Every structure is written in C-alpha cells, then in structure tokens.
C-alpha cells in the first residue's frame, strides 16, 4: 500500500530532479557561452558566417511570412471590424500587431525551425564524430569557437530580420487595404504612422534579440550535448526546435508583461 | 633534489630519467560501470607505446583522460614530471599545445578545406597568417605523401586512407612532442594500414616525439610500437616489448594476439 503511494511520488521527484538538472546545465552553458562572447580572442570569421546564415538566408522565409501575415491581418480585421463600423482602425491594428507581437514571434519561430535545427545538427554531428574533442586537442575552446559566434550572430541578426518583417508586414496590409478593401493609399499610411509609437517598434526589437539568443542557445546546447550517433543528432535537432519554440512563446509573454503591463 | 636546484648537467640527466608520461592509479567510472580501475603506465621520452585491449577495456578512456577530455575520478597523470590534473587551466592549456592527436575516424572538420584542417592549430594560435598557412599545409601534406593540390579539397571528397593521412598531417603540423594515435589503421585495407603505420613511425622519429597508440591490429602494433601494454577490465595486465607480442608468455596477450575464442578473456554478452 505504501509502495503504491510512494512510487508515483518517487517518479515525480525523479522527473523534477531531472528537469532541474537539465535547466541548470542549460543555464551554465548559456553563462559560459555569453562569457566567451565578451572575452577575446574573437572568431570574427565564424561570427560573420553565422550572421550571414541567419540574417541573409532566413530573409526569404521571414519576408514571405511577414507579407502574408500582414495581408491576412488586414483582411481579417476588415471583416471583423466591419461589424462595429471600425474599419478605419485597420491600419493601426495591423502595424501595432506586427511590430509588437507578430513580427518578432513569427520571424523567431521561422528562424527557430531553420537555424535552431541547423545549429543542433551541425554541432551534434561534430560531437558524435569527435570533431569537438578534436577542437580541444587543437588548443581551441569549443565554446568559444562553436557557441559564442552563433550566440552573438543570432542576437544581432534577429532584430534586423524583425525590422524587415515589420516593414514587409505593413506593406502586405497596405496592399490588401488599397487594392482589395478600397482604402486610399495616403489615408492608410497616415493611419499607420499616426498611432505607431517608438516603444512599439523598440519592444519588438528587444524581443527579437532575446528570441535570437534563445534560438542560438537551444540549437548549440542540444547539439553540444547530443550523443548516440545519427539518432542522437536527430533527437537533438527536434529538441532544439521544440524547446526554442516553446521558450520563444513563454519569453514573449514575460517580455510583454515587462513592457506593457499597467 | 628538485630539478630547479640541480646543476644544468644534473637537470638534464633528471629530465632524461623522468618518464615523459607517467600514469598512476587512474580510475574512471561511468555510472555503475568501472571503466578504468587503477591504470598504471610509463612511457619514456621518445618511445612509442602501444596499448592493446578488447572493445570496452578502457583504452580510449585512458587516452582521453591523459588528453584532458575526460576528468578521471582518481589517480595521477604526469607529463615531464608535472601532474597535469593539479595544473591551473592556463598551464594545462599550454601543456595541451605540445600534444597532437590522431582520432580513430580522423575527426576532420567538414566545414573547412583540407589545408585549413592541417594548419588549424597554427592558425588558431596565430602562429601563421592564412597566406603562409597554405604553404605550410602543402609542406606537411608532402610529409604524409599527399600532393599540395589535396589542400584545396574538402574532407568529404577524400578516401578513408587520405582522410587518415590528412588527420596525421594535422596531428604533426604544430610539431608536438607527444602524439596519440587512436586506432590509426581501423577501417583501412592492409596495404593502406601498413602505409599509415610507416608514416606514423617516420613522423614520430622525425619529431623525436613520444607516442601512445591504441589498436586492435597486431601487425600495426608490432610496426609502430617500441613497447606494448595490454589493458583488460580497466587494468594494465601486461607490459613488454612490442616485438614480443607473439610470445609474451601471458595467456591474455597470447589469446588476444592470436585471436582465439578460448582463453582467460571472455566476451561479455548481454542477453
């Protein structure tokens, strides 16, 4: 009888301890990675390569996502707001939704799928083929060589991507607004910028930097800790995308509370 | 008398008498599995030691402990008389600069061309510019029998034997005074295996380096080793001359050398 009660408690305890161990390991990994971002020597070539991979090669997917999101947002808002004769608010709703929430979150989720998986697969393969051990024997700190440039590149690249996403998203809304919904172009744009505040854009960019850090951290950490050959690398890739996606959404709520809670 | 207090001649004699590498009572467990259970080893300066043993006997873990890739649970590892486990991080990194390693599967960096792989350490330590590193890579590739044009290829474009040669070139490029070879001939045909062994012997002699190799290949062990040690269940059970592996007088070594199923070494099979 006692075992019947204690076994589930023991299982919960084990799971809790396991979760704490994983969270602690990720936190220490993040701290060590960030410390290498700040300490020389700096691997500028690797930073630049990671930056191009994140910023330039993610641009098409982020741009398409932003344009279609802006278009859908304008269309949905129009059909909804028409019930209250509030169609004139559509431009403001589109721009504020995009800059505060949808731009950073959707761009980050797209980049998490592309870059988080890529980092985890590349570093995971290096782990299971002894390339990370080889780095150590070649007098190179793997954290400084593999992790720090990716962290820095993602922190800088994501806000730039989100800035582009904001512009393209607004453009998508403007296209639908003027071509389909019958808005006058100048009036739509005036309405867009009249209610937009600097805080809306800045909060989105700060969120983007935080999301970039999370994506690079989860990608590199899951790859770095992978083991067990191809299956392990596959698992690390999946974990990196799932973990970064969940953390992006959770972090989005926390940052929104910080920026906008009254 | 300490080395610092001795006269220059005496200091040289002490240094010569001190083993280049000395391992004492090395223990390492992974969970409940005791992989190393008190490994003792000594390698004299300029000598080549081959460690033999079955799969899971602790060969690779021993080397990884000496390299600093795995932290042992107990024991000491001395290089030139200094306990590396008690060294500060900076000193240990300086010590690691003098060590080269050839990994079993080469462990070449896929994202870099061959010439950057070969000169990776020299570039990382800024001992060479990128322009001069290409020439240096060509020079080192020639030492392992590869043309300079191979430097522009990517690791994925190389055959297994060429990858081993490039990995060997990378291991010796910074002119280390200790080199580790992890199963250097595994996966190669016998002729290519003999070629790699020949290159290893040449490189080690040219550098005057101390070498530790681990292998299952008895022919390779005889070719590259001055001495040999047999490890079984995390302990060194025999040491002797590599040439004497065929008639060691030790039942475990004889069984291993002749590849017999019957003998004191029993394969652990999980059901």
């Amino acid at each position: 009888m006692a075992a019947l009660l204690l076994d589930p408690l023991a299982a919960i305890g084990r799971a809790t301890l396991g979760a704490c161990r994983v969270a602690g390991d990720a936190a220490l990994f993040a701290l060590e990675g960030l410390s290498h971002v700040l300490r020389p020597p700096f691997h500028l070539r690797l930073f630049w390569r990671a930056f191009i991979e994140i910023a330039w090669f993610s641009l098409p997917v982020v741009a398409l996502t932003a344009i279609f999101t802006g278009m859908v947002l304008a269309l949905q808002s129009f059909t909804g707001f028409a019930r209250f004769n509030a169609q004139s608010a559509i431009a403001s709703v589109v721009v504020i939704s995009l800059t505060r929430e949808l731009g950073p979150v959707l761009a980050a989720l797209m980049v998490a799928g592309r870059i988080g998986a890529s980092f985890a697969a590349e570093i995971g393969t290096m782990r299971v083929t002894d390339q990370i051990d080889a780095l150590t024997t070649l007098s190179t700190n793997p954290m400084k060589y593999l992790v720090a440039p990716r962290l820095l590149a993602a922190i800088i690249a994501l806000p730039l991507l989100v800035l582009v996403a904001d512009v393209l998203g607004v453009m998508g809304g403007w296209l639908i607004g003027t071509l389909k919904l019958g808005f006058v172009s100048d009036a739509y744009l005036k309405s867009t910028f009249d209610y937009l505040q600097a805080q809306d854009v800045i909060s989105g960019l700060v969120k983007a930097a935080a999301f970039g850090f999370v994506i690079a951290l989860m990608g590199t950490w899951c790859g770095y800790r992978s083991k067990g050959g191809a299956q392990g690398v596959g698992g690390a890739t999946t974990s990196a995308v799932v973990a970064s996606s969940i953390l992006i959404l959770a972090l989005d709520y926390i940052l929104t509370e910080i920026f906008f809670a009254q | 008398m300490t080395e610092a207090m001795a006269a220059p001649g005496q200091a040289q004699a002490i240094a010569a008498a001190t083993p280049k590498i000395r391992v004492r009572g090395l223990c390492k467990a992974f969970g409940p599995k005791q992989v190393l259970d008190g490994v003792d080893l000594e390698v004299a300066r300029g000598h080549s030691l081959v460690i033999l043993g079955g799969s899971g006997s602790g060969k690779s873990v021993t080397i990884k402990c000496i390299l600093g890739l795995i932290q042992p649970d107990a024991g000491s590892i001395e290089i030139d008389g200094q306990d590396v486990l008690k060294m500060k991080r900076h000193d240990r990194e300086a010590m690691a600069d003098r060590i080269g390693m050839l990994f079993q599967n080469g462990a070449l960096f896929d994202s870099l061309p061959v010439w950057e792989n070969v000169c990776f350490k020299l570039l990382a330590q800024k001992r060479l510019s990128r322009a001069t590193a290409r020439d240096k890579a060509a020079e080192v590739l020639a030492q392992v029998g590869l043309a300079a044009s191979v430097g522009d290829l990517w690791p994925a474009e190389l055959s297994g034997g060429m990858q081993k040669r490039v990995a060997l070139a990378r291991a010796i490029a910074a002119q280390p005074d200790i080199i580790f070879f992890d199963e250097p001939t595994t996966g190669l045909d016998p002729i290519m295996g003999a070629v790699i062994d020949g290159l290893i012997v040449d490189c080690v002699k040219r550098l005057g380096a101390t070498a530790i190799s681990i292998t299952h290949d008895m022919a390779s062990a005889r070719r590259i080793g001055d001495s040999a040690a047999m490890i079984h269940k995390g302990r060194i059970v025999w040491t002797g001359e590599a040439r004497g592996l065929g008639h060691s007088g030790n039942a475990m070594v004889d069984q291993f050398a002749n590849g017999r199923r019957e003998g004191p070494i029993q394969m652990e099979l999980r059901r």
Side-chain angles (χ1 to χ4, degrees):
Chain A
M1 185 63 185
L4 209 63
L5 285 172
L6 289 176
D7 282 353
L9 290 176
I12 292 168
R14 272 195 299 274
T16 308
L17 285 175
C20 290
R21 202 176 297 124
V22 168
D25 185 48
L28 290 174
F29 186 90
L31 286 175
E32 192 180 350
L34 282 175
S35 79
H36 284 292
V37 168
L38 302 172
R39 280 185 290 152
F42 304 112
H43 292 283
L44 292 177
R45 288 169 62 86
L46 296 171
F47 161 76
W48 185 242
R49 192 186 296 169
F51 180 80
I52 292 294
E53 180 65 33
I54 300 168
W56 182 248
F57 290 109
S58 299
L59 200 52
V61 69
V62 169
L64 285 172
T65 306
I67 288 173
F68 285 117
T69 303
M71 290 162 76
V72 168
L73 203 54
L75 208 54
Q76 286 280 26
S77 305
F78 185 79
T79 53
F81 286 17
R83 295 174 196 168
F84 314 104
N85 286 325
Q87 294 96 322
S88 59
I90 287 172
S92 311
V93 167
V94 168
V95 72
I96 290 172
S97 306
L98 276 166
T99 51
R100 283 188 181 190
E101 285 301 320
L102 294 174
V105 172
L106 292 179
L109 290 175
M110 289 295 125
V111 174
R114 253 197 96 248
I115 297 299
S118 157
F119 284 178
E122 186 179 350
I123 294 176
T125 304
M126 290 184 76
R127 166 62 73 198
V128 300
T129 55
D130 289 334
Q131 290 179 53
I132 292 181
D133 284 347
L135 278 174
T136 306
T137 65
L138 292 166
S139 307
T140 301
N141 188 319
M143 292 294 289
K144 188 170 278 302
Y145 187 82
L146 296 174
V147 179
R150 286 171 167 84
L151 285 177
L152 185 61
I155 291 169
I156 294 173
L158 255 288
L160 295 176
L161 278 171
V162 166
L163 209 54
V164 174
D166 288 349
V167 172
L168 292 177
V170 169
M171 204 178 82
W174 170 81
L175 275 174
I176 291 296
T178 52
L179 297 179
K180 189 173 169 65
L181 305 178
F183 283 90
V184 175
S185 175
D186 288 349
Y188 187 96
L189 289 176
K190 186 176 183 307
S191 178
T192 295
F193 294 113
D194 274 355
Y195 294 99
L196 184 65
Q197 294 179 348
Q199 192 196 6
D200 300 325
V201 179
I202 290 167
S203 67
L205 298 183
V206 172
K207 281 181 178 181
F211 297 160
F213 172 71
V214 163
I215 292 165
L217 176 66
M218 286 297 113
T220 53
W221 177 65
C222 291
Y224 206 87
R225 295 285 184 254
S226 70
K227 49 189 165 189
Q231 197 179 11
V233 176
T237 308
T238 309
S239 302
V241 176
V242 172
S244 50
S245 300
I246 292 171
L247 284 174
I248 284 166
L249 297 173
L251 197 57
D252 183 42
Y253 172 76
I254 293 167
L255 291 174
T256 305
E257 275 280 355
I258 292 169
F259 284 124
F260 299 107
Q262 298 296 319
Chain B
M1 188 189 298
T2 64
E3 202 170 310
M5 291 162 63
Q10 284 175 307
Q12 255 179 346
I14 291 168
T18 308
K20 185 74 178 173
I21 302 169
R22 178 189 279 151
V23 176
R24 284 280 171 267
L26 203 63
C27 294
K28 180 68 188 176
F30 294 103
K33 184 164 173 59
Q34 191 71 37
V35 179
L36 301 183
D37 192 14
V39 168
D40 296 317
L41 275 178
E42 269 186 20
V43 193
R45 197 173 302 274
H47 276 243
S48 175
L49 170 75
V50 176
I51 304 176
L52 301 163
S55 301
S57 57
K59 305 185 298 291
S60 294
V61 175
T62 303
I63 277 195
K64 285 185 174 177
C65 285
I66 300 172
L67 278 165
L69 298 173
I70 294 176
Q71 187 68 23
D73 299 332
S76 66
I77 299 166
E78 290 177 16
I79 294 179
D80 288 330
Q82 294 177 286
D83 191 340
V84 294
L85 298 176
K86 291 179 182 163
M87 280 182 181
K88 288 180 181 165
R89 188 172 174 168
H90 178 266
D91 294 333
R92 189 154 189 181
E93 284 172 1
M95 181 69 79
D97 286 349
R98 297 162 43 203
I99 298 175
M101 168 79 186
L102 171 66
F103 284 86
Q104 184 179 349
N105 56 12
L108 297 174
F109 303 125
D110 314 309
S111 56
L112 300 177
V114 165
W115 73 268
E116 275 194 68
N117 266 283
V118 171
C119 289
F120 188 91
K121 194 172 194 172
L122 298 170
L123 286 166
Q125 295 174 331
K126 301 195 188 304
R127 282 155 65 177
L128 286 180
S129 68
R130 291 180 68 79
T132 50
R134 272 180 176 269
D135 295 335
K136 175 69 179 175
E139 181 191 312
V140 183
L141 285 170
Q143 290 173 16
V144 296
L146 291 174
S149 58
V150 173
D152 292 324
L153 300 176
W154 295 85
E157 296 175 294
L158 305 177
S159 67
M162 286 171 86
Q163 286 191 10
K164 277 275 158 75
R165 287 186 195 216
V166 172
L168 176 59
R170 186 175 70 178
I172 63 169
Q175 302 195 308
D177 58 1
I178 299 170
I179 313 180
F180 294 93
F181 301 99
D182 186 357
E183 307 202 15
T185 56
T186 297
L188 301 178
D189 65 71
I191 298 171
M192 185 52 76
V195 169
I196 295 291
D197 286 342
L199 288 170
I200 286 173
V201 171
D202 289 348
C203 292
V204 169
K205 278 191 180 155
R206 194 183 318 117
L207 294 170
T210 305
I212 296 184
S213 313
I214 58 178
T215 184
H216 293 133
D217 182 344
M218 299 308 294
S220 174
R222 289 190 190 96
R223 283 193 291 257
I224 61 179
D226 298 318
S227 56
M230 173 88 184
I231 188 168
H232 180 61
K233 292 190 174 173
R235 282 174 174 271
I236 300 293
V237 294
W238 177 85
T239 53
E241 287 198 2
R243 282 175 303 178
L245 276 169
H247 43 274
S248 66
N250 180 291
M252 285 189 189
V253 179
D254 287 348
Q255 183 192 355
F256 193 83
N258 296 305
R260 285 197 297 263
R261 204 169 62 176
E262 306 300 328
I265 302 173
Q266 296 296 314
M267 293 299 289
E268 288 179 14
L269 298 175
R270 276 191 197 159
R271 291 178 188 279

